Amino acid sequence: MSKTSARSIADVTKRSILARVEVAAAPERVWKAITLDVAAWWGSDELYRTTKHTVDLRPGGAYRSDGMGADGHAFHVTGEVLEVDPPRKYVTTWQPSWSSEPASKVTYLLEAIATGTRVTVEHSGFTNAETCEDHGTGWVRVLDWLDGHLRAKPSYFFMRLIPPRATFPADATPAELAAMKAHSDYWRGKIAEGVGVIAGPVADPERAYGIGVVAAADAAQVAAFEDADPVISAGLGFRYEHHPMPALLF
């Protein structure tokens, strides 16, 4: 029995499945979960866990999900990315290691609704009616896991970007200005994804700096966000510090 609004219908005549769930998260956050963060939520301790997911997120790119069953047996699912239209449509092929059937096709459609996002999954191209029916039940479980992941309360962290000298930005070089523009674009994207909460400069008379608040699983994920910031990878002397926030009041 589904614990959420997740439902599915298996049409064994057409060898296809239609599954749907409504989740309390923005389409951008759902998109990230189904494309990049699969290993963070796909599975449960009593059945199996996806332990690693890699994807070349472009049409023609490949993906692979590795996992481990509760019985200790390893498995994987591989496929090709067919369509990428963030945050609305994502289409891939589906080839599990435990099946000798030809690859099937999975289509995700994300629709913004008043309470979050309606996620519709069409899994088509099965050659076996029994396999099709089994996957219908499986997709209800998967969408339950997705919903649970998106409902989980994240931890929040305060971040401070410290420039290379106290006189910045009054004497910023062209290279520093270019890096800061890329930095701004980077965090606008993170805010659109639902990762960033706020970000912006602070005109402290002692020393200007930037601040941000992000939602993350742990401090390691925050550090990864910082390392991926163009202003850090440019190697111009900027650095971050971050601290956990015990609570976030709205």
Side-chain angles (χ1 to χ4, degrees):
M1 185 73 174
S2 175
K3 297 171 288 186
T4 67
S5 64
R7 298 290 184 271
S8 75
I9 297 175
D11 188 331
V12 296
T13 303
K14 294 182 178 179
R15 304 289 199 272
S16 67
I17 297 161
L18 194 65
R20 179 171 290 172
V21 71
E22 294 182 359
V23 298
E28 290 80 7
R29 189 172 170 221
V30 181
W31 174 266
K32 186 171 182 288
I34 65 174
T35 57
L36 300 176
D37 294 343
V38 172
W41 60 271
W42 196 309
S44 64
D45 291 338
E46 66 272 16
L47 293 174
Y48 65 85
R49 284 283 183 188
T50 300
T51 56
K52 182 180 180 181
H53 179 75
T54 57
V55 60
D56 181 4
L57 196 56
R58 61 180 178 83
Y63 78 88
R64 178 181 173 113
S65 293
D66 291 280
M68 185 72 67
D71 58 2
H73 285 86
F75 67 88
H76 63 264
V77 177
T78 57
E80 179 185 355
V81 177
L82 302 178
E83 293 185 49
V84 179
D85 182 15
R88 291 174 290 273
K89 186 177 182 181
Y90 182 50
V91 186
T92 72
T93 61
W94 172 274
Q95 184 64 70
S97 59
W98 61 86
S99 174
S100 60
E101 292 186 35
S104 51
K105 184 171 80 170
V106 177
T107 300
Y108 293 88
L109 297 174
L110 309 184
E111 177 189 357
I113 57 177
T115 56
T117 305
R118 179 178 295 118
V119 183
T120 301
V121 177
E122 182 181 4
H123 195 163
S124 60
F126 293 99
T127 59
N128 181 286
E130 184 177 354
T131 302
C132 176
E133 191 167 10
D134 288 346
H135 277 71
T137 303
W139 273 110
V140 173
R141 284 196 300 266
V142 169
L143 294 180
D144 274 344
W145 294 331
L146 174 64
D147 181 72
H149 169 70
L150 294 169
R151 286 178 185 272
K153 187 176 180 180
S155 297
Y156 292 95
F157 292 81
F158 171 81
M159 304 169 64
R160 189 159 76 113
L161 177 65
I162 302 171
R165 56 193 175 278
T167 52
F168 185 90
D171 57 355
T173 67
E176 290 169 342
L177 291 174
M180 285 300 296
K181 182 181 183 306
H183 157 81
S184 297
D185 292 342
Y186 173 77
W187 282 108
R188 285 191 185 95
K190 289 298 181 188
I191 289 173
E193 291 174 12
V195 172
V197 178
I198 60 167
V202 175
D204 188 325
E206 296 293 325
R207 179 179 188 140
Y209 52 86
I211 66 162
V213 175
V214 296
D218 50 35
Q221 188 175 39
V222 178
F225 293 153
E226 294 170 349
D227 290 343
D229 188 333
V231 81
I232 298 299
S233 58
L236 297 172
F238 291 84
R239 63 182 177 88
Y240 271 107
E241 61 179 33
H242 62 256
H243 306 283
M245 298 177 66
L248 190 65
L249 305 178
F250 293 95

